Amino acid sequence: MKSLRKYFIVLGLTLICSASGLFAQQITKFAVVDTARVYQAYYRDSSSVRNYESKKAEFQKEINKLVSEIQGLHDKKLEYQRAGKDSDALKVEQQITKKTEYLNEYTNAKNMELKTLETSLQNNNEFYKKLYSTLERVAETGGYSMILSLQQNNAILWYSPSVDVTDEVISRLGISGE
C-alpha cells in the first residue's frame, strides 16, 4: 500500500511539473494584414486619391483616343494599298509611325506621373503612423506576437520584442553583440 501511495505521489508530481511546463510556454500567434485593402479603405474618400483616379481616367481616355486614331490610319493605309495607291499608303504609314511614337512617349510620361502620385500617396507619414499604432493595439489585444503583410513576402509590419531572440543567438554563438 505504501508503494502504491508513493507511486501516486510521484505520478501526481510528474503531472504537475509537466503541466506547469506546458503553461509556462508562450504560444506564438501570427496574423496577416492585407495592406492594400487597408490603404484603399483609408483613402477611399481622400481628395488626393480622387485626384489620382481622375488623372488616371483622363490619361486612359487620351490613350484610347490615340489608339483609335492609329487604328483608323491602319484601315486607311489598307484601303490605299488595295487601290494600288502606294504613295498615299506610304504617307499614311509615316503618319502611323509619328502617332505611334507620340503615343509611346505620352504613355511613358503619364505612367511616370501616375507613379509619382502613387508613391506620394503611399509615403504619407500620417497614414503609416496611424497604421502602425493600430497594428500594435490589434496585436496586443489579440495576443499576436507578429503581424505580416499579405502583399510583401517576409515583410513584418509589427512584432513583439518577446519573439526577438537575437541576443540569445549572439550569446550562444559566443560573440559580442556590440
Side-chain angles (χ1 to χ4, degrees), residues 65-78 80 85-104:
K65 178 182 158 204
L66 291 168
V67 168
S68 178
E69 289 175 9
I70 292 170
Q71 185 58 48
L73 289 171
H74 273 288
D75 294 343
K76 194 174 187 180
K77 177 184 162 193
L78 285 174
Y80 285 144
K85 299 179 179 179
D86 292 335
S87 65
D88 289 335
L90 186 59
K91 288 177 188 175
V92 172
E93 178 64 37
Q94 291 171 347
Q95 290 176 334
I96 291 171
T97 301
K98 282 183 182 179
K99 280 209 183 265
T100 301
E101 287 173 1
Y102 174 76
L103 173 63
N104 288 332

Side-chain angles (χ1 to χ4, degrees), residues 98-116:
K98 282 183 182 179
K99 280 209 183 265
T100 301
E101 287 173 1
Y102 174 76
L103 173 63
N104 288 332
E105 290 171 11
Y106 178 85
T107 302
N108 289 336
K110 295 308 176 180
N111 280 338
M112 285 184 358
E113 186 176 334
L114 287 174
K115 186 67 179 163
T116 301

